[in-house]
Amino acid sequence: MAAMRTHITEHDLRHHGDAEVRDAGAGLTDLAVNVRADTPPEWLRERIAASLTGLAAYPDGRAARAAVAERHGLPVERVLLTAGAAEAFVLLARALPVRHPVVVHPQFTEPEAALRDAGHEVRRVLLRPRDGFRLDPAAVPEEADLVVLGNPTNPTSVLHPGGLVAALARPGRTLVVDEAFMDAVPGEREALAGRTDVPGLVVLRSLTKTWGLAGLRIGYVLAEPSLVAALSRAQPLWPVSTPALVAAEACVSPRALAEAEEAAQRLAADRAHLVAGLGEFEEVRVVEAAEGPFVLVRMDAAVEVRARLRGLGFLARRGDTFPGLGPQWLRLAVRDRSTTNRFLQALDQALTLASAGGPG
């Protein structure tokens, strides 16, 4: 298995799934954003709403930080709460004195964007479609003192073996693993969160995807205490709001973890249904072994199909903004079976129209 190192080419690194739906209007089914449907649940909304009576006081993150630490079996000194995982990428880019950062693509583009905004020259390692976008540790340059990758990876949905990811660790290297979608994997197998035996390991988690809190912005960093302290110094005062802190504490409770596991099991079944349906179309190739709450597909007429799907009431995420992908790729969020069945019917129509070249 091989991966390819390339020079930097321009991509719209700031394009994210929300851009697909921002001006879409009512009535369209969102398959572009990877936030779990029907969230946040009522019990979580009630907890957040109850916190509004305390907004006159400055946020106090101690209870939430302790809860996250307990959830992963770590001391609190290894936990930093952030305004979503995206803030963590900015903090890392600003606080770490790195000279040879490497980002493994295709993946979430914000890490590279943050590094470049901070003045770093970023090297890319591109995983290849013909290898199933699987990680090849040998492709990462030895001189890299910062390596960033996602697991499971957005947008490929590939879950890399935890041991393979940990093998990227080196003395003097910071290894950043974005586990924003790991709680969507049954049993969180291959997770590195909670590990203290991997040198230079930094694990990022997001609570916005599984719990539908993208508008609240809450996530956290797990790392050695000295790095947590350095990142904390790069944060503004009171970076996480009181409602977000309450949500963090609630979402790592035993009740929430059990609910997230049940949701992950349902997701796996719903994803299998989607993949099976997509397999009926000879024009569509699905990246195999998808493990996240989305799938990546390739089709020659993806640009036209995406436009026609929009006319048929479905929003798909374009893939050409991800380094390593081109206009033939689309990312599709996993939804319930009923929604998937309606989408597959629309996809059939879109493919037919694209093939015939008829009016949209």
Side-chain angles (χ1 to χ4, degrees):
M1 180 171 58
M4 179 172 59
R5 305 172 196 173
T6 73
H7 63 283
I8 297 297
T9 55
E10 289 304 317
H11 289 78
D12 185 1
L13 300 179
R14 295 296 190 187
H15 181 92
H16 301 298
D18 63 316
E20 311 280 349
V21 303
R22 199 176 300 142
D23 301 316
L28 276 71
T29 299
D30 175 18
L31 304 183
V33 175
N34 292 322
V35 174
R36 181 162 65 100
D38 301 320
T39 51
E42 183 177 359
W43 65 265
L44 181 54
R45 293 198 303 270
E46 291 175 351
R47 288 282 297 273
I48 295 171
S51 73
L52 300 181
T53 59
L55 292 185
Y58 285 96
D60 183 350
R62 288 176 296 179
R65 191 183 184 196
V68 170
E70 181 179 0
R71 182 254 195 271
H72 292 287
L74 296 171
V76 293
E77 292 79 13
R78 282 183 166 266
V79 176
L80 180 71
L81 302 173
T82 59
E87 187 204 6
F89 292 123
V90 174
L91 297 176
L92 288 163
R94 293 176 178 176
L96 295 182
V98 297
R99 299 181 63 187
H100 303 290
V102 169
V103 179
V104 180
H105 286 288
Q107 77 150 330
F108 184 49
T109 54
E110 201 60 28
E112 180 175 319
L115 285 164
R116 291 171 67 174
D117 286 347
H120 298 287
E121 183 177 343
V122 180
R123 189 170 185 177
R124 293 175 180 168
V125 169
L126 301 184
L127 304 182
R128 293 175 171 174
R130 69 189 184 198
D131 299 325
F133 296 107
R134 298 184 183 281
L135 176 65
D136 178 8
V140 176
E142 280 297 320
E143 65 270 20
D145 54 2
L146 172 68
V147 178
V148 185
L149 75 159
N151 203 32
T153 303
N154 171 22
T156 65
S157 204
V158 171
L159 180 66
H160 306 294
L164 203 64
V165 175
L168 291 172
R170 301 282 190 281
R173 172 184 288 177
T174 300
L175 173 60
V176 178
V177 184
D178 177 8
E179 292 188 351
F181 295 101
M182 188 62 78
D183 59 356
V185 176
E188 295 196 2
R189 66 187 190 282
E190 314 304 344
L192 296 184
R195 293 275 297 270
T196 59
D197 60 327
V198 180
L201 176 65
V202 178
V203 174
L204 308 183
R205 286 290 182 106
S206 170
L207 297 173
T208 64
K209 311 298 191 300
T210 288
W211 297 108
L213 299 175
L216 197 60
R217 311 309 306 141
I218 179 63
Y220 53 88
V221 177
L222 306 176
E224 60 185 27
S226 60
L227 180 55
V228 166
L231 297 180
S232 178
R233 289 192 294 270
Q235 281 184 309
L237 289 173
W238 311 292
V240 181
S241 70
T242 295
L245 293 171
V246 168
E249 187 175 357
C251 290
V252 297
S253 68
R255 169 186 178 174
L257 296 180
E259 185 174 318
E261 177 64 20
E262 291 176 3
Q265 297 286 350
R266 290 194 304 272
L267 172 73
D270 290 339
R271 184 180 57 242
H273 181 68
L274 172 61
V275 170
L278 291 169
E280 297 296 319
F281 299 98
E282 62 180 16
E283 305 96 327
V284 180
R285 183 167 71 83
V286 184
V287 174
E288 297 180 358
E291 297 280 358
F294 44 86
V295 297
L296 183 65
V297 301
R298 187 188 190 283
M299 59 188 84
D300 291 339
V303 174
E304 186 175 356
V305 168
R306 174 172 165 267
R308 294 184 182 278
L309 282 171
R310 190 182 186 96
L312 293 167
F314 289 89
L315 301 170
R317 169 66 157 91
R318 56 189 277 208
D320 62 332
T321 63
F322 294 100
L325 301 182
Q328 304 87 2
W329 296 91
L330 298 176
R331 191 191 67 194
L332 306 170
V334 176
R335 301 300 187 217
D336 62 87
R337 291 193 175 205
S338 176
T339 301
T340 293
N341 289 340
R342 291 189 293 106
F343 165 71
L344 292 172
Q345 291 176 349
L347 178 61
D348 189 22
Q349 295 180 56
L351 287 166
T352 300
L353 289 169
S355 176

